[in-house]
Amino acid sequence: MSEFVKSVVEVSAKDLQGPGVVFCPNPKMPLWSNHPRVFLDVAADGEARCPYCGTLYKLKAGEKVHGH
């Protein structure tokens, strides 16, 4: 088990970029914790975990991602 507590960030459908993705690190993260920017698809499963820092991004309860 990791000694670091992983963050969970709840996002709404309006927070998603492009085809249902968010990016990490997000703008609210402190500068010292920056890592290369990655785009995470939360639309497919309702959540996605950053491979660098372990932050879990999840759609808020009841949020629907609208297709094109």
Side-chain angles (χ1 to χ4, degrees):
M1 176 181 262
S2 173
E3 58 189 81
F4 297 103
V5 175
K6 305 294 187 220
S7 297
V8 175
V9 177
E10 289 191 320
V11 295
S12 65
K14 69 181 176 92
D15 296 325
L16 301 179
Q17 309 291 315
V21 300
V22 294
F23 60 86
C24 189
N26 67 61
K28 294 180 182 176
M29 291 181 159
L31 190 58
W32 62 264
S33 68
N34 279 348
H35 55 67
R37 180 177 281 190
V38 291
F39 293 86
L40 307 166
D41 181 4
V42 296
D45 296 325
E47 64 182 41
R49 186 173 300 277
C50 176
Y52 287 101
C53 67
T55 299
L56 179 66
Y57 291 85
K58 339 176 21 166
L59 281 176
K60 290 180 182 176
E63 288 289 316
K64 301 288 184 214
V65 178
H66 301 287
H68 299 301

